[in-house]
Structure formats: C-alpha cells, structure tokens
Amino acid sequence: MAFGGIGAIVAPTFIGLLLAANYSQQNAFMAFTVPSIMAALALCEREVWQL
C-alpha cells in the first residue's frame, strides 16, 4: 500500500519535471509506460513459473 501512495505523489511530480524540461508529452509518458510494461511482464512470468 505504501508504494501506491508514494507513486501517487512522485509520478505527477516527475511528469511535471519532464514537461518543464521541454520533453514532449509522448516522451514523458513513455518514461512511465516502458518500465510499467516490463514490470507487468516480469510478474506474469513469475506466476507462470510458480505453477
């Protein structure tokens, strides 16, 4: 639960910093999309191997 709360604070701040540094909106959100997809795939693989 704590990680969700931390993410809820850090994520908008980090996006704001990226946008203030003149990153495009697409690139700023890709900075979150790629690691999120990789984490989801890692969790799915972990579940498959535990069966």
Side-chain angles (χ1 to χ4, degrees):
M1 289 294 235
F3 289 110
I6 293 168
I9 295 169
V10 173
T13 304
F14 186 65
I15 287 289
L17 290 172
L18 289 175
L19 294 176
N22 293 324
Y23 278 79
S24 68
Q25 286 183 350
Q26 182 179 6
N27 288 340
F29 284 100
M30 286 296 279
F32 283 93
T33 303
V34 172
S36 297
I37 291 172
M38 290 174 64
L41 290 173
L43 288 174
C44 289
E45 182 177 331
R46 180 176 156 213
E47 292 295 322
V48 168
W49 287 108
Q50 283 187 345
L51 294 176

